[in-house]
Amino acid sequence: MKILVAASAFFATVSCAQADVRILASPGGQVGPFIELFDKVRESGERVVIDGPCLSACTLVLSMVPGDRICVTRRAVLGFHAARSIDQRGRTYAEPEASVAVLQAYPAPVRGWIARRGGLTSRLLLLRGRELAAIYPRCR
């Protein structure tokens, strides 16, 4: 069984309030729970407020929820890296096909930003501040 990253704290870092889903701090984790959550959010029509770190698998929100329903605060940080799995012995290995699929699913401005920084690698790329606000609106 493949595991992308442990996701023990995921559900504690996302809160729902006033018909918004607020991401306060998500280190990422297994892809499956994020896909399930963001699929429900997309169907609900709720807005996503990114209000802190949204790293790794959390960034799937960008490809699953319409961009006009995503906003960012000054504390928002998006963190991207190449897909990887951990085997039963705890060894990490790259998943190049998954990295290509994830990259293609991101909106064009995000893909462009990632490409200008050398693409998805094992190194964490952080999108924040003015660069992030140029892609997603500030929350009001």
Side-chain angles (χ1 to χ4, degrees), residues 32-92:
F34 285 90
I35 290 172
E36 290 176 24
L37 174 67
F38 296 141
D39 189 44
K40 290 177 184 173
V41 171
R42 182 184 65 242
E43 291 174 11
S44 75
E46 292 175 310
R47 179 177 75 152
V48 175
V49 176
I50 302 175
D51 191 19
C54 175
L55 310 178
S56 191
C58 178
T59 64
L60 293 172
V61 68
L62 306 177
S63 49
M64 297 192 67
V65 175
D68 63 351
R69 290 188 10 229
I70 297 173
C71 68
V72 297
T73 69
R74 294 191 187 284
R75 291 181 295 273
V77 179
L78 299 175
F80 306 91
H81 62 77
R84 58 185 181 239
S85 291
I86 301 172
D87 67 18
Q88 292 177 342
R89 294 183 179 185
R91 293 178 296 202
T92 302

